């Protein structure tokens, strides 16, 4: 069989018929005439009669008729009738005739033409043809020689498509039905929390803009940039390149200028209106049934609301909405000894683990006060430990406060030398993290040394006050030393306080004893008198020829008696006794002479003014007794009181010890001065620096503790904005009015201490560090110590006021501090703010 | 008061007299350790930087003078190389009976006064710095609880940090004040590092530059001294006088009088050529001629009700300057209504005032104020 040409042709084209016809079974070229019939089915559309076939080839042009409006295509057959009587028939060619153009008219349900309705005509394989309707709602498409499919693109949904009268004139009625949705972030995930405590997430969720990660999906990473993923609500309806429009309404309260909240690429057509409060743009779906992504920069400020809407409508993209409120999360690791747990609250983490935290009564106040500046404080780890027995940090409340309370408490020093085995905090990778060490008392580095001399008047003395100033505490171990006994006595002595003893009680006449010893002397009635201990030489008395002692004899005895006083030490060695030894006759009949001598000594003793410095408090040399302080037992009863016990001698043969003669000054007793040295430390509320805090869990109302927590955190957040004495400035958040940073000398409320005059440029002579006096009567600003004003519960000040007592006198961050804190970049609360480039 | 201060012999009498008066003002002063005795035990300069120098027994001063001195003593290095040290340590000790120390809370209310005499600069600061959130209260133990005996408190402080002392070469004289108690005065020479070359021509230039400066305007406004103001001292020095008790009524006055004879620094001399400046700054006398000089006298004011001392610098103009031993010297008398000084700590309190200028200081004047302004 010869070939039949089959092809696709357009209507109204010129069909060139070329055929070679052979005669006899076409063994040779046909020569003669033939009729060419152009047939559509059985209908002959046209006939070219008696066409001469030269050299067996026939050539003819035929204008192809249009495809009727009612038909999709038709098949054109070209048939040759030839032979002598044209009795033979052959089909020379067969072509499918395709229409050339398509017209569509798109109207809405109210029969109004719709412009810019995207449509797509596809032809099986190959590139589809796309277009948008014109102002009259009309679209014209050149067709291909293939079956076509017409689609109206999203967001339009076709309600009716009429092409009954004319197949290639589609009357299309559409309505907008496509909706976009936000696929990510997924606010149903439990990590999202309502913007307001206890609120509905639909009304807004918290985005922690100070988190270190960005570009991830919402709470999985937080950060100041959120990545959104959007799609057609019915995913499969979404077509590649569908435009989903974005509109962001931004509250713009904080005035922070960097980074500027903005839609980020790959969003397209990004525009900002309404002074930066309305951000618009669009994205296009990457594929049919696909999604598109864009990012939104929220900035670092807290308390800003971002209402993000998406939709298929350019003018009103509101198919899906999410609302974000910017918060900042600051975290803490908490460290405390187990003994403090009774004053803390047990909580449960999301994963079910239990931990101890700030007491709820305190934490709830902290939470409320920080919420005002859109800061959340979260415990991420609690470290418990047991200080070993005997650790310097471990005392009783009674010891600390001079009472009988035996509750154990934990005391640490500013330099954290006294940690009592507290574990190290976990390594801090996230600069939003702080560490808090809880304690019951914290000691200031400004210690003072006392070296008192106390006058004791009893063997045991209780309650000896160490220091006159109540605010100083003295611990068993020396503050700021790892393990050094505080009370030092080496090199010091107890001393009998003989100065306190009246002269008449310590300058006493010795006792005189007279002993008669038989000695046969040459001269009867003669005696030789000696004082073997203190006397020098002897005195000879002879009663021969006399009736008694002569005046001369008495004078000799007096001289001898008084000379003994030159040897006071020897007399004291004999317990202040002078023993006169009278050697001579002792036989009967000499009694009168003996009596005369005894009487004479008594009379001399009475008459003489000579005394010996003699007292139990004095040693043999007449010096006040003294000895090493190590003799004295000292009990450290409380942080402010000592108990002393003086030793007594063990036997009469030993030297007197202070306990033997201590007492009110008298002839037998005297006070004993004892000396020691101790280092006392000043106790304070807490401090913050470089991301670490020491916080005293004071025995006061929760609000007062909460104010301290918020105050210390305020410093970590770069408050207040006062230059240091050396001029390093704490930066203001960029874009925020410098008026907010004014200090007390230029119309504002901020102040900072300085140790020395002059007190100008906001510098004052009080507190430690940069602070805020908002709440104080403004008339007190000029005074270097604000006339000693301090806030009270009734007349409170800003949380950043520099000192706190036991009442709730610092109830909130003031208006200025609040504005600055809301605008702050809190990605790093561990840095030194002064001199930092980032505000 | 004259410890280490190079006061020429002719002035010693007056300064010593001031010292004695100061001491008899407090009963405990009777056992004053004379400052020259301190020299006998003085530590090598390096000892003040040694670790633990505050600790018990390390400073022989404490052991040697325990209970032999009631009052305040300071000790410290006599010379500091600016290049090799970063602090100016000052060892301070205060000794008194428990009752006396309870009345004067040394770490809380004591102040350091540092004079840089060559520039007549004064630096005053509280002795101790408190960190953290202050709970500071001046609460003291009730007297009945106090033991009999003596309390000695000692403390090592960094004068540089406490007073924000400029770290430059020159002499400084440190003293601790505790209301009416004054410590001995310690002179320290701050010297440029041994390697640093001291250029005499540069020094000369800088001195000449300072000499060209105009003195500040008189402060407070020029007024005549009260009739009962003390007489001008015969020797170099400053004398203060004030009524011991003042009842403050509305519109009241709180007067302090003084008399002085002091050397004049070149920058304190009025420059007649700078007529415009002089006129604008009140350096012209009623008669029309410029004053000869305007001498700075610092008034350090402590109040029993405040923890920090205040400093006011009086600028006292004089009509003439005389040359004594080739050095310009001026003298004068003044009366100041203290209530007119800015931020003067006024109220029911006892005030302790001392005057300082160059190497010289007055004895303290004490004023008990009875405040009846509200009635
Ligand atoms: Zn603070
Ligand atoms: Zn504030």
């Amino acid at each position: 069989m010869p070939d039949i040409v089959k092809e696709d042709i357009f209507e109204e084209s010129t069909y060139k018929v070329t055929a070679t016809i052979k005669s006899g079974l076409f063994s040779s070229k046909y020569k003669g005439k033939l009729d060419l019939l152009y047939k559509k089915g059985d209908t002959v559309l046209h006939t070219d009669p008696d066409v001469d076939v030269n050299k067996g080839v026939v050539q003819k042009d035929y204008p192809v008729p249009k495809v009727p409006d009612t038909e999709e295509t038709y098949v054109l057959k070209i048939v040759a009738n030839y032979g002598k009587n044209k009795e033979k028939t052959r089909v020379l060619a067969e072509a499918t005739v395709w229409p050339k153009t398509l017209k569509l008219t798109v109207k809405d349900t109210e029969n109004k033409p719709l412009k810019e309705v995207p449509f797509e005509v596809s032809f099986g394989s190959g590139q589809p043809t796309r277009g948008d309707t014109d102002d009259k709602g009309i679209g014209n498409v050149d067709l291909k020689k293939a079956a076509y499919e017409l689609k109206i693109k999203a967001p339009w949904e076709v309600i009716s498509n009429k092409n009954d009268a004319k197949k290639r004139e589609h009357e299309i009625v559409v309505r907008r039905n496509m909706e976009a949705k936000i696929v990510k972030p997924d606010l149903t995930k439990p990590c999202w929390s309502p913007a307001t405590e206890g609120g509905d997430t639909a009304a807004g969720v918290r985005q922690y803009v100070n988190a270190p990660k960005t570009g991830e999906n919402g709470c999985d990473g937080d950060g100041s940039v959120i990545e959104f993923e959007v799609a057609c609500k019915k995913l499969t309806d979404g077509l590649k390149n569908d435009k989903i429009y974005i509109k962001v309404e931004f509250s713009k309260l904080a005035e922070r200028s960097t980074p500027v909240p903005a839609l980020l690429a790959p969003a397209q057509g990004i525009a900002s209106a309404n002074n930066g409060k309305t951000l618009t743009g669009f994205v296009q779906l990457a594929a049919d049934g696909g999604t598109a992504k864009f990012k939104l920069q929220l900035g670092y400020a807290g308390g800003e609301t971002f209402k993000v809407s998406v939709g298929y409508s350019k003018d009103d993209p509101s198919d899906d909405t999410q609302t974000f409120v910017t918060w900042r999360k600051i975290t803490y690791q908490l460290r405390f000894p187990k003994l403090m747990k009774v004053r803390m609250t047990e909580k449960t983490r999301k994963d079910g683990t239990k931990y101890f935290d700030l007491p709820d009564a305190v934490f709830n106040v902290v939470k409320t006060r920080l919420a005002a500046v859109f800061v959340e404080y979260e415990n991420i780890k609690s470290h418990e430990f047991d200080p070993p027995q005997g650790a310097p940090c471990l005392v009783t409340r009674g010891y600390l406060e001079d009472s009988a309370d035996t509750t154990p408490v934990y005391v640490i020093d500013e330099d954290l030398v006294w940690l009592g085995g507290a574990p190290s905090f976990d390594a801090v990778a996230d600069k939003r993290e702080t560490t808090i060490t809880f304690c019951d008392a914290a000691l200031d580095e400004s210690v003072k040394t006392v070296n008192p001399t106390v006058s004791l008047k009893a063997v045991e003395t209780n309650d000896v006050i160490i220091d006159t100033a109540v605010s100083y505490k003295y611990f068993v171990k020396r503050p700021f030393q790892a393990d050094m006994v505080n009370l030092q006595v080496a090199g010091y002595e107890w001393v009998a306080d003989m100065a306190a003893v009246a002269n008449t009680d310590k300058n006493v006449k010795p006792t005189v004893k007279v002993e008669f010893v038989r000695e046969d002397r040459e001269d009867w009635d003669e005696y030789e008198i000696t004082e073997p201990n203190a006397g020098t030489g002897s005195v000879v008395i002879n009663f021969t020829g006399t009736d008694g002692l002569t005046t001369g004899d008495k004078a000799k005895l007096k001289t001898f008696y008084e000379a003994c006083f030159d040897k006071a030490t020897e007399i004291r060695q004999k317990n202040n006794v002078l023993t006169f030894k009278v050697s001579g006759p002792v036989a009967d009949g000499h009694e009168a002479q003996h009596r005369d001598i005894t009487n004479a000594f008594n009379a001399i003793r009475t008459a003489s003014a000579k005394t010996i410095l003699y007292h139990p408090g004095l040693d043999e040399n007449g010096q006040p007794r003294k000895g090493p302080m190590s003799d004295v037992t000292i009990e450290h009863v409380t942080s402010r009181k000592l108990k002393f016990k003086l030793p007594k001698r063990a036997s009469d043969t030993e030297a007197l010890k202070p306990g033997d003669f201590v007492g009110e000054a008298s002839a037998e007793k005297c006070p004993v001065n004892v000396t020691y040295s101790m280092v006392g430390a000043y106790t304070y509320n807490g401090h913050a620096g470089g991301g670490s805090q020491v916080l005293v869990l004071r025995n006061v109302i929760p609000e007062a503790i909460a104010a301290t927590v918020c105050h210390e955190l305020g410093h970590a957040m770069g408050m207040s904005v006062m230059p240091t004495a050396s001029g390093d400035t704490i930066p203001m958040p960029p874009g925020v009015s410098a008026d907010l940073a004014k200090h007390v000398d230029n119309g504002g409320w901020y102040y900072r201490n300085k140790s020395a005059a002059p007190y100008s440029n906001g510098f004052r002579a009080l507190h430690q560090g940069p602070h805020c006096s908002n709440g104080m009567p403004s008339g007190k600003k000029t005074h270097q110590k604000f006339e000693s004003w301090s806030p009270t519960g009734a007349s409170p000040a800003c949380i950043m006021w520099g000192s706190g007592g036991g009442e709730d006198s610092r109830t909130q961050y003031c208006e200025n501090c609040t504005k600055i804190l809301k605008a702050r970049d809190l990605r790093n609360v561990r840095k030194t703010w002064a001199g930092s480039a980032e505000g | 008061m004259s410890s280490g201060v190079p006061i020429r012999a002719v002035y010693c009498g007056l300064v010593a007299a001031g010292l004695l008066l100061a001491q008899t003002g407090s009963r405990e002063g009777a056992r004053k350790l004379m400052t020259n005795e301190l020299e006998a035990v003085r530590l090598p300069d390096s000892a003040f930087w040694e670790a633990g120098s505050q600790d018990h027994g390390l400073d022989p001063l404490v052991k040697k003078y325990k209970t032999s001195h009631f009052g305040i003593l300071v000790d410290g290095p006599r010379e500091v190389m600016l290049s090799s040290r970063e602090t100016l340590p000052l060892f301070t000790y205060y000794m008194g009976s428990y009752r006396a120390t309870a009345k004067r809370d040394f770490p809380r209310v004591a102040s350091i006064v540092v004079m840089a005499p060559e520039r007549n600069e004064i630096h005053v600061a509280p002795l101790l710095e408190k960190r953290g959130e202050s709970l500071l209260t001046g609460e003291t133990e009730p007297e009945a609880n106090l033991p009999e005996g003596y309390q000695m408190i000692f403390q090592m402080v960094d004068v540089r940090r406490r007073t924000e002392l400029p770290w430059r070469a020159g002499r400084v004289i440190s003293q601790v004040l505790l209301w009416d108690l004054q410590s001995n005065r310690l002179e320290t020479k701050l010297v440029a590092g041994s390697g640093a070359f001291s250029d005499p021509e540069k020094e000369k230039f800088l001195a000449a530059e300072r000499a060209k400066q105009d003195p500040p305007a008189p402060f407070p406004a020029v007024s005549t001294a009260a009739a009962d103001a003390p007489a001008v001292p015969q020797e170099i020095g400053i004398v203060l006088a004030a009524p011991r008790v003042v009842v403050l009524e509305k519109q009241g006055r709180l007067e302090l009088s003084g008399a002085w004879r002091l050397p004049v620094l070149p920058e304190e001399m009025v420059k007649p050529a700078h007529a415009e400046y002089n006129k604008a700054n009140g350096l012209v006398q009623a008669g029309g001629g410029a004053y000869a000089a305007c001498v700075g006298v610092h008034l350090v004011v402590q109040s029993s009700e405040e923890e920090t001392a205040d400093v006011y610098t009086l600028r006292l103009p004089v009509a003439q300057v005389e040359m004594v031993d080739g050095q310009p010297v001026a003298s004068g008398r003044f009366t100041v209504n203290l209530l007119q000084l800015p931020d003067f700590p006024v109220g029911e309190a006892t005030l302790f005032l001392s005057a300082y200028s160059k190497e010289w200081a007055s004895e303290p004047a004490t004023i008990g104020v009875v405040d009846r302004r509200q009635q």
Side-chain angles (χ1 to χ4, degrees), chain A residues 711 715 768 771:
Chain A
H711 179 96
H715 285 308
Q768 180 63 38
H771 289 113

Side-chain angles (χ1 to χ4, degrees), chain A residues 330-333 377 425 428 430-437 687-694 712-713 715-717 828-833:
Chain A
I330 294 173
T331 59
Y332 58 94
Q333 294 186 49
Y377 210 23
F425 289 105
V428 173
D430 185 340
K431 292 191 169 67
R432 298 175 304 153
E433 192 176 317
T434 62
T435 58
I436 303 177
T437 305
H687 76 268
S692 95
Q693 286 184 47
V694 166
E712 301 306 345
L713 192 56
H715 285 308
M717 296 190 293
N828 183 354
V829 296
R830 304 184 64 81
K831 69 182 173 192
T832 304
W833 286 89

Side-chain angles (χ1 to χ4, degrees), chain A residues 151-219:
Chain A
K151 279 185 198 162
I152 299 296
K153 297 186 71 182
W156 306 101
E157 184 190 28
V158 175
I159 290 174
S160 64
N161 178 3
K162 278 195 236 168
N163 57 346
D164 307 339
K166 295 178 176 178
K167 285 287 180 202
R168 282 164 303 284
E169 288 191 19
H170 293 258
E171 292 281 337
I172 300 170
V173 177
V174 298
R175 75 172 175 213
R176 189 190 159 281
N177 192 31
M178 307 289 281
E179 280 188 28
K181 69 171 178 185
I182 301 172
V183 180
K184 286 181 180 173
D186 177 2
L187 302 191
T188 62
K189 281 206 239 163
C191 62
W192 292 99
S193 47
T196 43
E197 184 72 19
D200 184 356
T201 49
V205 293
R206 296 182 186 195
Q207 174 71 14
Y208 300 100
V209 290
N210 66 331
K213 294 183 196 167
T214 58
E216 294 185 25
N217 294 319
C219 59

Side-chain angles (χ1 to χ4, degrees), chain A residues 711-712 715 719 767-771 799-803 810, chain B residues 132-133:
Chain A
H711 179 96
E712 301 306 345
H715 285 308
M719 296 305 289
H767 303 152
Q768 180 63 38
H771 289 113
I799 284 172
M800 294 317 296
W801 171 260
S803 74
R810 295 178 297 173
Chain B
E133 208 182 72

Side-chain angles (χ1 to χ4, degrees), chain A residues 719-720 749-750 771-774 797-801 812-818:
Chain A
M719 296 305 289
S720 68
W749 294 102
Y750 294 122
H771 289 113
C772 174
S773 65
N774 208 337
C798 176
I799 284 172
M800 294 317 296
W801 171 260
Q812 56 188 4
Y813 296 105
C814 74
E815 195 185 346
N816 289 2
C817 290
T818 298

